[in-house]
Structures are given as structure tokens and as C-alpha cells.
Amino acid sequence: LVYVVFAWVLFLRTRVYHYFFLDPRFQFAPLALLALLTLLTILFFLGNLALAAAQRSIAARVALLGMALATCTFRDKTLSRNGDRE
């Protein structure tokens, strides 16, 4: 709710919505918001199930840690911004 209010205030200043589903001029905005809410609810419950499984099983803990690390980006600090070695 706070982000929706923030998006409205930002729209009043810039006349730009950063997400189409927050834009009330979009014909399917209510449907898009319901779909987003449904997706977030499903992801919440899947995460809850994963944590419950991790409490009972070391294999589930390792799998959950592996999935979390797979979402990370590791950068080589020896490369400068233009791609040359320092």
C-alpha cells in the first residue's frame, strides 16, 4: 500500500507510472493487480514450505542455500569498470 501511494505521488510529479499495473489508465489494471497479488501469495507459501522442509532435513537446507546463492551475482574485483585489468 505504501508503494502504491508512493507511485501515485511520483506520477503527480513526473506524469509517469513505472509499472503498467499501477496505472489506472491501463484497461486491465485491476486484473493485473489481482494476478500479482496471487503470484506473491503463492511465492510466500512456497517459501514457507521450503523453510519448514529446511528445519527437518539437512538436504533441504543445502538445496535452499544453493538456490539462494544461485540468485547472487559475484563480480571479479580485479577488473576495472572498462574491462581492463588494474
Side-chain angles (χ1 to χ4, degrees), residues 16-36:
V16 173
Y17 279 104
H18 292 285
Y19 299 105
F20 69 92
F21 50 83
L22 292 176
D23 189 350
R25 299 170 295 182
F26 175 54
Q27 180 181 1
F28 301 108
L31 183 62
L33 284 173
L34 285 175
L36 179 63

mmCIF file with all atom_site columns, all heavy atoms in Angstrom, residues 16-36:
data_model
loop_
_atom_site.group_PDB
_atom_site.id
_atom_site.type_symbol
_atom_site.label_atom_id
_atom_site.label_alt_id
_atom_site.label_comp_id
_atom_site.label_asym_id
_atom_site.label_entity_id
_atom_site.label_seq_id
_atom_site.pdbx_PDB_ins_code
_atom_site.Cartn_x
_atom_site.Cartn_y
_atom_site.Cartn_z
_atom_site.occupancy
_atom_site.B_iso_or_equiv
_atom_site.pdbx_formal_charge
_atom_site.auth_seq_id
_atom_site.auth_comp_id
_atom_site.auth_asym_id
_atom_site.auth_atom_id
_atom_site.pdbx_PDB_model_num
ATOM 1   N N   . VAL A 1 16 ? 4.530   9.847   -14.910 1.00 0.00 ? 16 VAL A N   1
ATOM 2   C CA  . VAL A 1 16 ? 4.989   8.542   -15.377 1.00 0.00 ? 16 VAL A CA  1
ATOM 3   C C   . VAL A 1 16 ? 4.712   7.506   -14.299 1.00 0.00 ? 16 VAL A C   1
ATOM 4   O O   . VAL A 1 16 ? 5.049   7.707   -13.138 1.00 0.00 ? 16 VAL A O   1
ATOM 5   C CB  . VAL A 1 16 ? 6.502   8.557   -15.694 1.00 0.00 ? 16 VAL A CB  1
ATOM 6   C CG1 . VAL A 1 16 ? 7.010   7.166   -16.014 1.00 0.00 ? 16 VAL A CG1 1
ATOM 7   C CG2 . VAL A 1 16 ? 6.807   9.521   -16.815 1.00 0.00 ? 16 VAL A CG2 1
ATOM 8   N N   . TYR A 1 17 ? 4.067   6.412   -14.687 1.00 0.00 ? 17 TYR A N   1
ATOM 9   C CA  . TYR A 1 17 ? 3.948   5.249   -13.818 1.00 0.00 ? 17 TYR A CA  1
ATOM 10  C C   . TYR A 1 17 ? 5.052   4.280   -14.212 1.00 0.00 ? 17 TYR A C   1
ATOM 11  O O   . TYR A 1 17 ? 5.225   3.970   -15.383 1.00 0.00 ? 17 TYR A O   1
ATOM 12  C CB  . TYR A 1 17 ? 2.596   4.552   -13.983 1.00 0.00 ? 17 TYR A CB  1
ATOM 13  C CG  . TYR A 1 17 ? 1.481   5.208   -13.220 1.00 0.00 ? 17 TYR A CG  1
ATOM 14  C CD1 . TYR A 1 17 ? 0.539   5.985   -13.871 1.00 0.00 ? 17 TYR A CD1 1
ATOM 15  C CD2 . TYR A 1 17 ? 1.359   5.039   -11.855 1.00 0.00 ? 17 TYR A CD2 1
ATOM 16  C CE1 . TYR A 1 17 ? -0.495  6.576   -13.171 1.00 0.00 ? 17 TYR A CE1 1
ATOM 17  C CE2 . TYR A 1 17 ? 0.331   5.628   -11.146 1.00 0.00 ? 17 TYR A CE2 1
ATOM 18  C CZ  . TYR A 1 17 ? -0.591  6.400   -11.813 1.00 0.00 ? 17 TYR A CZ  1
ATOM 19  O OH  . TYR A 1 17 ? -1.609  6.988   -11.119 1.00 0.00 ? 17 TYR A OH  1
ATOM 20  N N   . HIS A 1 18 ? 5.804   3.788   -13.242 1.00 0.00 ? 18 HIS A N   1
ATOM 21  C CA  . HIS A 1 18 ? 6.914   2.901   -13.556 1.00 0.00 ? 18 HIS A CA  1
ATOM 22  C C   . HIS A 1 18 ? 6.463   1.467   -13.817 1.00 0.00 ? 18 HIS A C   1
ATOM 23  O O   . HIS A 1 18 ? 7.213   0.678   -14.385 1.00 0.00 ? 18 HIS A O   1
ATOM 24  C CB  . HIS A 1 18 ? 7.955   2.938   -12.439 1.00 0.00 ? 18 HIS A CB  1
ATOM 25  C CG  . HIS A 1 18 ? 8.650   4.260   -12.376 1.00 0.00 ? 18 HIS A CG  1
ATOM 26  N ND1 . HIS A 1 18 ? 9.605   4.632   -13.280 1.00 0.00 ? 18 HIS A ND1 1
ATOM 27  C CD2 . HIS A 1 18 ? 8.494   5.313   -11.545 1.00 0.00 ? 18 HIS A CD2 1
ATOM 28  C CE1 . HIS A 1 18 ? 10.022  5.850   -13.008 1.00 0.00 ? 18 HIS A CE1 1
ATOM 29  N NE2 . HIS A 1 18 ? 9.366   6.281   -11.956 1.00 0.00 ? 18 HIS A NE2 1
ATOM 30  N N   . TYR A 1 19 ? 5.251   1.121   -13.380 1.00 0.00 ? 19 TYR A N   1
ATOM 31  C CA  . TYR A 1 19 ? 4.710   -0.222  -13.620 1.00 0.00 ? 19 TYR A CA  1
ATOM 32  C C   . TYR A 1 19 ? 3.319   -0.076  -14.218 1.00 0.00 ? 19 TYR A C   1
ATOM 33  O O   . TYR A 1 19 ? 2.477   0.644   -13.675 1.00 0.00 ? 19 TYR A O   1
ATOM 34  C CB  . TYR A 1 19 ? 4.649   -1.036  -12.330 1.00 0.00 ? 19 TYR A CB  1
ATOM 35  C CG  . TYR A 1 19 ? 5.991   -1.245  -11.702 1.00 0.00 ? 19 TYR A CG  1
ATOM 36  C CD1 . TYR A 1 19 ? 6.382   -0.550  -10.574 1.00 0.00 ? 19 TYR A CD1 1
ATOM 37  C CD2 . TYR A 1 19 ? 6.893   -2.144  -12.260 1.00 0.00 ? 19 TYR A CD2 1
ATOM 38  C CE1 . TYR A 1 19 ? 7.619   -0.740  -10.010 1.00 0.00 ? 19 TYR A CE1 1
ATOM 39  C CE2 . TYR A 1 19 ? 8.138   -2.342  -11.704 1.00 0.00 ? 19 TYR A CE2 1
ATOM 40  C CZ  . TYR A 1 19 ? 8.493   -1.636  -10.579 1.00 0.00 ? 19 TYR A CZ  1
ATOM 41  O OH  . TYR A 1 19 ? 9.719   -1.835  -10.031 1.00 0.00 ? 19 TYR A OH  1
ATOM 42  N N   . PHE A 1 20 ? 3.061   -0.777  -15.294 1.00 0.00 ? 20 PHE A N   1
ATOM 43  C CA  . PHE A 1 20 ? 1.786   -0.632  -16.000 1.00 0.00 ? 20 PHE A CA  1
ATOM 44  C C   . PHE A 1 20 ? 0.595   -1.009  -15.133 1.00 0.00 ? 20 PHE A C   1
ATOM 45  O O   . PHE A 1 20 ? -0.484  -0.442  -15.259 1.00 0.00 ? 20 PHE A O   1
ATOM 46  C CB  . PHE A 1 20 ? 1.789   -1.470  -17.290 1.00 0.00 ? 20 PHE A CB  1
ATOM 47  C CG  . PHE A 1 20 ? 1.778   -2.950  -17.042 1.00 0.00 ? 20 PHE A CG  1
ATOM 48  C CD1 . PHE A 1 20 ? 0.585   -3.638  -16.985 1.00 0.00 ? 20 PHE A CD1 1
ATOM 49  C CD2 . PHE A 1 20 ? 2.963   -3.648  -16.865 1.00 0.00 ? 20 PHE A CD2 1
ATOM 50  C CE1 . PHE A 1 20 ? 0.568   -5.008  -16.753 1.00 0.00 ? 20 PHE A CE1 1
ATOM 51  C CE2 . PHE A 1 20 ? 2.961   -5.006  -16.625 1.00 0.00 ? 20 PHE A CE2 1
ATOM 52  C CZ  . PHE A 1 20 ? 1.761   -5.692  -16.574 1.00 0.00 ? 20 PHE A CZ  1
ATOM 53  N N   . PHE A 1 21 ? 0.760   -1.954  -14.214 1.00 0.00 ? 21 PHE A N   1
ATOM 54  C CA  . PHE A 1 21 ? -0.378  -2.414  -13.430 1.00 0.00 ? 21 PHE A CA  1
ATOM 55  C C   . PHE A 1 21 ? -0.773  -1.412  -12.343 1.00 0.00 ? 21 PHE A C   1
ATOM 56  O O   . PHE A 1 21 ? -1.841  -1.531  -11.768 1.00 0.00 ? 21 PHE A O   1
ATOM 57  C CB  . PHE A 1 21 ? -0.103  -3.786  -12.813 1.00 0.00 ? 21 PHE A CB  1
ATOM 58  C CG  . PHE A 1 21 ? 1.199   -3.889  -12.077 1.00 0.00 ? 21 PHE A CG  1
ATOM 59  C CD1 . PHE A 1 21 ? 1.313   -3.461  -10.779 1.00 0.00 ? 21 PHE A CD1 1
ATOM 60  C CD2 . PHE A 1 21 ? 2.308   -4.419  -12.702 1.00 0.00 ? 21 PHE A CD2 1
ATOM 61  C CE1 . PHE A 1 21 ? 2.508   -3.548  -10.097 1.00 0.00 ? 21 PHE A CE1 1
ATOM 62  C CE2 . PHE A 1 21 ? 3.509   -4.524  -12.032 1.00 0.00 ? 21 PHE A CE2 1
ATOM 63  C CZ  . PHE A 1 21 ? 3.608   -4.082  -10.729 1.00 0.00 ? 21 PHE A CZ  1
ATOM 64  N N   . LEU A 1 22 ? 0.058   -0.413  -12.068 1.00 0.00 ? 22 LEU A N   1
ATOM 65  C CA  . LEU A 1 22 ? -0.315  0.647   -11.139 1.00 0.00 ? 22 LEU A CA  1
ATOM 66  C C   . LEU A 1 22 ? -1.015  1.805   -11.836 1.00 0.00 ? 22 LEU A C   1
ATOM 67  O O   . LEU A 1 22 ? -1.602  2.664   -11.192 1.00 0.00 ? 22 LEU A O   1
ATOM 68  C CB  . LEU A 1 22 ? 0.922   1.178   -10.415 1.00 0.00 ? 22 LEU A CB  1
ATOM 69  C CG  . LEU A 1 22 ? 1.588   0.230   -9.441  1.00 0.00 ? 22 LEU A CG  1
ATOM 70  C CD1 . LEU A 1 22 ? 2.848   0.859   -8.875  1.00 0.00 ? 22 LEU A CD1 1
ATOM 71  C CD2 . LEU A 1 22 ? 0.647   -0.160  -8.330  1.00 0.00 ? 22 LEU A CD2 1
ATOM 72  N N   . ASP A 1 23 ? -0.948  1.819   -13.142 1.00 0.00 ? 23 ASP A N   1
ATOM 73  C CA  . ASP A 1 23 ? -1.541  2.893   -13.930 1.00 0.00 ? 23 ASP A CA  1
ATOM 74  C C   . ASP A 1 23 ? -3.037  2.648   -14.093 1.00 0.00 ? 23 ASP A C   1
ATOM 75  O O   . ASP A 1 23 ? -3.446  1.693   -14.747 1.00 0.00 ? 23 ASP A O   1
ATOM 76  C CB  . ASP A 1 23 ? -0.861  2.944   -15.301 1.00 0.00 ? 23 ASP A CB  1
ATOM 77  C CG  . ASP A 1 23 ? -1.258  4.149   -16.113 1.00 0.00 ? 23 ASP A CG  1
ATOM 78  O OD1 . ASP A 1 23 ? -2.207  4.863   -15.720 1.00 0.00 ? 23 ASP A OD1 1
ATOM 79  O OD2 . ASP A 1 23 ? -0.614  4.394   -17.144 1.00 0.00 ? 23 ASP A OD2 1
ATOM 80  N N   . PRO A 1 24 ? -3.889  3.503   -13.512 1.00 0.00 ? 24 PRO A N   1
ATOM 81  C CA  . PRO A 1 24 ? -5.338  3.283   -13.633 1.00 0.00 ? 24 PRO A CA  1
ATOM 82  C C   . PRO A 1 24 ? -5.855  3.458   -15.055 1.00 0.00 ? 24 PRO A C   1
ATOM 83  O O   . PRO A 1 24 ? -6.967  3.037   -15.360 1.00 0.00 ? 24 PRO A O   1
ATOM 84  C CB  . PRO A 1 24 ? -5.938  4.329   -12.687 1.00 0.00 ? 24 PRO A CB  1
ATOM 85  C CG  . PRO A 1 24 ? -4.877  5.333   -12.475 1.00 0.00 ? 24 PRO A CG  1
ATOM 86  C CD  . PRO A 1 24 ? -3.563  4.651   -12.695 1.00 0.00 ? 24 PRO A CD  1
ATOM 87  N N   . ARG A 1 25 ? -5.056  4.039   -15.934 1.00 0.00 ? 25 ARG A N   1
ATOM 88  C CA  . ARG A 1 25 ? -5.480  4.169   -17.338 1.00 0.00 ? 25 ARG A CA  1
ATOM 89  C C   . ARG A 1 25 ? -5.349  2.853   -18.096 1.00 0.00 ? 25 ARG A C   1
ATOM 90  O O   . ARG A 1 25 ? -5.942  2.689   -19.155 1.00 0.00 ? 25 ARG A O   1
ATOM 91  C CB  . ARG A 1 25 ? -4.635  5.239   -18.031 1.00 0.00 ? 25 ARG A CB  1
ATOM 92  C CG  . ARG A 1 25 ? -4.791  6.616   -17.386 1.00 0.00 ? 25 ARG A CG  1
ATOM 93  C CD  . ARG A 1 25 ? -3.784  7.580   -17.912 1.00 0.00 ? 25 ARG A CD  1
ATOM 94  N NE  . ARG A 1 25 ? -2.455  7.107   -17.497 1.00 0.00 ? 25 ARG A NE  1
ATOM 95  C CZ  . ARG A 1 25 ? -1.330  7.738   -17.755 1.00 0.00 ? 25 ARG A CZ  1
ATOM 96  N NH1 . ARG A 1 25 ? -1.339  8.858   -18.440 1.00 0.00 ? 25 ARG A NH1 1
ATOM 97  N NH2 . ARG A 1 25 ? -0.174  7.255   -17.341 1.00 0.00 ? 25 ARG A NH2 1
ATOM 98  N N   . PHE A 1 26 ? -4.575  1.918   -17.558 1.00 0.00 ? 26 PHE A N   1
ATOM 99  C CA  . PHE A 1 26 ? -4.419  0.593   -18.175 1.00 0.00 ? 26 PHE A CA  1
ATOM 100 C C   . PHE A 1 26 ? -5.726  -0.170  -18.012 1.00 0.00 ? 26 PHE A C   1
ATOM 101 O O   . PHE A 1 26 ? -6.261  -0.302  -16.908 1.00 0.00 ? 26 PHE A O   1
ATOM 102 C CB  . PHE A 1 26 ? -3.257  -0.144  -17.511 1.00 0.00 ? 26 PHE A CB  1
ATOM 103 C CG  . PHE A 1 26 ? -3.063  -1.559  -17.962 1.00 0.00 ? 26 PHE A CG  1
ATOM 104 C CD1 . PHE A 1 26 ? -2.933  -1.879  -19.299 1.00 0.00 ? 26 PHE A CD1 1
ATOM 105 C CD2 . PHE A 1 26 ? -3.008  -2.588  -17.037 1.00 0.00 ? 26 PHE A CD2 1
ATOM 106 C CE1 . PHE A 1 26 ? -2.745  -3.186  -19.713 1.00 0.00 ? 26 PHE A CE1 1
ATOM 107 C CE2 . PHE A 1 26 ? -2.823  -3.893  -17.432 1.00 0.00 ? 26 PHE A CE2 1
ATOM 108 C CZ  . PHE A 1 26 ? -2.700  -4.197  -18.770 1.00 0.00 ? 26 PHE A CZ  1
ATOM 109 N N   . GLN A 1 27 ? -6.254  -0.681  -19.094 1.00 0.00 ? 27 GLN A N   1
ATOM 110 C CA  . GLN A 1 27 ? -7.575  -1.311  -19.107 1.00 0.00 ? 27 GLN A CA  1
ATOM 111 C C   . GLN A 1 27 ? -7.671  -2.493  -18.141 1.00 0.00 ? 27 GLN A C   1
ATOM 112 O O   . GLN A 1 27 ? -8.688  -2.694  -17.497 1.00 0.00 ? 27 GLN A O   1
ATOM 113 C CB  . GLN A 1 27 ? -7.905  -1.772  -20.525 1.00 0.00 ? 27 GLN A CB  1
ATOM 114 C CG  . GLN A 1 27 ? -9.253  -2.429  -20.654 1.00 0.00 ? 27 GLN A CG  1
ATOM 115 C CD  . GLN A 1 27 ? -9.524  -2.886  -22.076 1.00 0.00 ? 27 GLN A CD  1
ATOM 116 O OE1 . GLN A 1 27 ? -8.691  -2.716  -22.963 1.00 0.00 ? 27 GLN A OE1 1
ATOM 117 N NE2 . GLN A 1 27 ? -10.677 -3.462  -22.290 1.00 0.00 ? 27 GLN A NE2 1
ATOM 118 N N   . PHE A 1 28 ? -6.619  -3.274  -18.035 1.00 0.00 ? 28 PHE A N   1
ATOM 119 C CA  . PHE A 1 28 ? -6.655  -4.477  -17.207 1.00 0.00 ? 28 PHE A CA  1
ATOM 120 C C   . PHE A 1 28 ? -5.905  -4.313  -15.888 1.00 0.00 ? 28 PHE A C   1
ATOM 121 O O   . PHE A 1 28 ? -5.450  -5.300  -15.307 1.00 0.00 ? 28 PHE A O   1
ATOM 122 C CB  . PHE A 1 28 ? -6.078  -5.658  -17.996 1.00 0.00 ? 28 PHE A CB  1
ATOM 123 C CG  . PHE A 1 28 ? -6.831  -5.937  -19.261 1.00 0.00 ? 28 PHE A CG  1
ATOM 124 C CD1 . PHE A 1 28 ? -6.273  -5.644  -20.492 1.00 0.00 ? 28 PHE A CD1 1
ATOM 125 C CD2 . PHE A 1 28 ? -8.109  -6.473  -19.216 1.00 0.00 ? 28 PHE A CD2 1
ATOM 126 C CE1 . PHE A 1 28 ? -6.960  -5.901  -21.660 1.00 0.00 ? 28 PHE A CE1 1
ATOM 127 C CE2 . PHE A 1 28 ? -8.811  -6.725  -20.377 1.00 0.00 ? 28 PHE A CE2 1
ATOM 128 C CZ  . PHE A 1 28 ? -8.242  -6.440  -21.603 1.00 0.00 ? 28 PHE A CZ  1
ATOM 129 N N   . ALA A 1 29 ? -5.780  -3.078  -15.392 1.00 0.00 ? 29 ALA A N   1
ATOM 130 C CA  . ALA A 1 29 ? -5.046  -2.832  -14.151 1.00 0.00 ? 29 ALA A CA  1
ATOM 131 C C   . ALA A 1 29 ? -5.602  -3.616  -12.965 1.00 0.00 ? 29 ALA A C   1
ATOM 132 O O   . ALA A 1 29 ? -4.830  -4.239  -12.227 1.00 0.00 ? 29 ALA A O   1
ATOM 133 C CB  . ALA A 1 29 ? -5.009  -1.341  -13.845 1.00 0.00 ? 29 ALA A CB  1
ATOM 134 N N   . PRO A 1 30 ? -6.920  -3.650  -12.739 1.00 0.00 ? 30 PRO A N   1
ATOM 135 C CA  . PRO A 1 30 ? -7.416  -4.438  -11.596 1.00 0.00 ? 30 PRO A CA  1
ATOM 136 C C   . PRO A 1 30 ? -7.082  -5.929  -11.724 1.00 0.00 ? 30 PRO A C   1
ATOM 137 O O   . PRO A 1 30 ? -6.689  -6.570  -10.741 1.00 0.00 ? 30 PRO A O   1
ATOM 138 C CB  . PRO A 1 30 ? -8.926  -4.208  -11.617 1.00 0.00 ? 30 PRO A CB  1
ATOM 139 C CG  . PRO A 1 30 ? -9.106  -2.925  -12.343 1.00 0.00 ? 30 PRO A CG  1
ATOM 140 C CD  . PRO A 1 30 ? -8.005  -2.889  -13.356 1.00 0.00 ? 30 PRO A CD  1
ATOM 141 N N   . LEU A 1 31 ? -7.205  -6.463  -12.922 1.00 0.00 ? 31 LEU A N   1
ATOM 142 C CA  . LEU A 1 31 ? -6.867  -7.873  -13.143 1.00 0.00 ? 31 LEU A CA  1
ATOM 143 C C   . LEU A 1 31 ? -5.374  -8.114  -12.946 1.00 0.00 ? 31 LEU A C   1
ATOM 144 O O   . LEU A 1 31 ? -4.966  -9.117  -12.345 1.00 0.00 ? 31 LEU A O   1
ATOM 145 C CB  . LEU A 1 31 ? -7.295  -8.299  -14.551 1.00 0.00 ? 31 LEU A CB  1
ATOM 146 C CG  . LEU A 1 31 ? -7.073  -9.759  -14.911 1.00 0.00 ? 31 LEU A CG  1
ATOM 147 C CD1 . LEU A 1 31 ? -7.889  -10.660 -13.990 1.00 0.00 ? 31 LEU A CD1 1
ATOM 148 C CD2 . LEU A 1 31 ? -7.440  -10.001 -16.360 1.00 0.00 ? 31 LEU A CD2 1
ATOM 149 N N   . ALA A 1 32 ? -4.544  -7.198  -13.421 1.00 0.00 ? 32 ALA A N   1
ATOM 150 C CA  . ALA A 1 32 ? -3.095  -7.329  -13.255 1.00 0.00 ? 32 ALA A CA  1
ATOM 151 C C   . ALA A 1 32 ? -2.709  -7.273  -11.776 1.00 0.00 ? 32 ALA A C   1
ATOM 152 O O   . ALA A 1 32 ? -1.847  -8.028  -11.325 1.00 0.00 ? 32 ALA A O   1
ATOM 153 C CB  . ALA A 1 32 ? -2.372  -6.234  -14.035 1.00 0.00 ? 32 ALA A CB  1
ATOM 154 N N   . LEU A 1 33 ? -3.363  -6.408  -11.008 1.00 0.00 ? 33 LEU A N   1
ATOM 155 C CA  . LEU A 1 33 ? -3.074  -6.334  -9.573  1.00 0.00 ? 33 LEU A CA  1
ATOM 156 C C   . LEU A 1 33 ? -3.489  -7.613  -8.859  1.00 0.00 ? 33 LEU A C   1
ATOM 157 O O   . LEU A 1 33 ? -2.779  -8.102  -7.980  1.00 0.00 ? 33 LEU A O   1
ATOM 158 C CB  . LEU A 1 33 ? -3.779  -5.129  -8.956  1.00 0.00 ? 33 LEU A CB  1
ATOM 159 C CG  . LEU A 1 33 ? -3.128  -3.781  -9.245  1.00 0.00 ? 33 LEU A CG  1
ATOM 160 C CD1 . LEU A 1 33 ? -4.007  -2.650  -8.744  1.00 0.00 ? 33 LEU A CD1 1
ATOM 161 C CD2 . LEU A 1 33 ? -1.763  -3.701  -8.603  1.00 0.00 ? 33 LEU A CD2 1
ATOM 162 N N   . LEU A 1 34 ? -4.627  -8.170  -9.236  1.00 0.00 ? 34 LEU A N   1
ATOM 163 C CA  . LEU A 1 34 ? -5.062  -9.438  -8.641  1.00 0.00 ? 34 LEU A CA  1
ATOM 164 C C   . LEU A 1 34 ? -4.104  -10.570 -9.004  1.00 0.00 ? 34 LEU A C   1
ATOM 165 O O   . LEU A 1 34 ? -3.793  -11.425 -8.166  1.00 0.00 ? 34 LEU A O   1
ATOM 166 C CB  . LEU A 1 34 ? -6.479  -9.780  -9.078  1.00 0.00 ? 34 LEU A CB  1
ATOM 167 C CG  . LEU A 1 34 ? -7.587  -8.976  -8.402  1.00 0.00 ? 34 LEU A CG  1
ATOM 168 C CD1 . LEU A 1 34 ? -8.937  -9.313  -9.016  1.00 0.00 ? 34 LEU A CD1 1
ATOM 169 C CD2 . LEU A 1 34 ? -7.597  -9.221  -6.915  1.00 0.00 ? 34 LEU A CD2 1
ATOM 170 N N   . ALA A 1 35 ? -3.646  -10.591 -10.241 1.00 0.00 ? 35 ALA A N   1
ATOM 171 C CA  . ALA A 1 35 ? -2.690  -11.618 -10.662 1.00 0.00 ? 35 ALA A CA  1
ATOM 172 C C   . ALA A 1 35 ? -1.375  -11.472 -9.888  1.00 0.00 ? 35 ALA A C   1
ATOM 173 O O   . ALA A 1 35 ? -0.792  -12.472 -9.444  1.00 0.00 ? 35 ALA A O   1
ATOM 174 C CB  . ALA A 1 35 ? -2.441  -11.519 -12.166 1.00 0.00 ? 35 ALA A CB  1
ATOM 175 N N   . LEU A 1 36 ? -0.916  -10.247 -9.702  1.00 0.00 ? 36 LEU A N   1
ATOM 176 C CA  . LEU A 1 36 ? 0.309   -10.011 -8.941  1.00 0.00 ? 36 LEU A CA  1
ATOM 177 C C   . LEU A 1 36 ? 0.134   -10.437 -7.486  1.00 0.00 ? 36 LEU A C   1
ATOM 178 O O   . LEU A 1 36 ? 1.015   -11.084 -6.913  1.00 0.00 ? 36 LEU A O   1
ATOM 179 C CB  . LEU A 1 36 ? 0.696   -8.539  -9.019  1.00 0.00 ? 36 LEU A CB  1
ATOM 180 C CG  . LEU A 1 36 ? 1.947   -8.139  -8.259  1.00 0.00 ? 36 LEU A CG  1
ATOM 181 C CD1 . LEU A 1 36 ? 3.169   -8.856  -8.818  1.00 0.00 ? 36 LEU A CD1 1
ATOM 182 C CD2 . LEU A 1 36 ? 2.142   -6.642  -8.319  1.00 0.00 ? 36 LEU A CD2 1
#
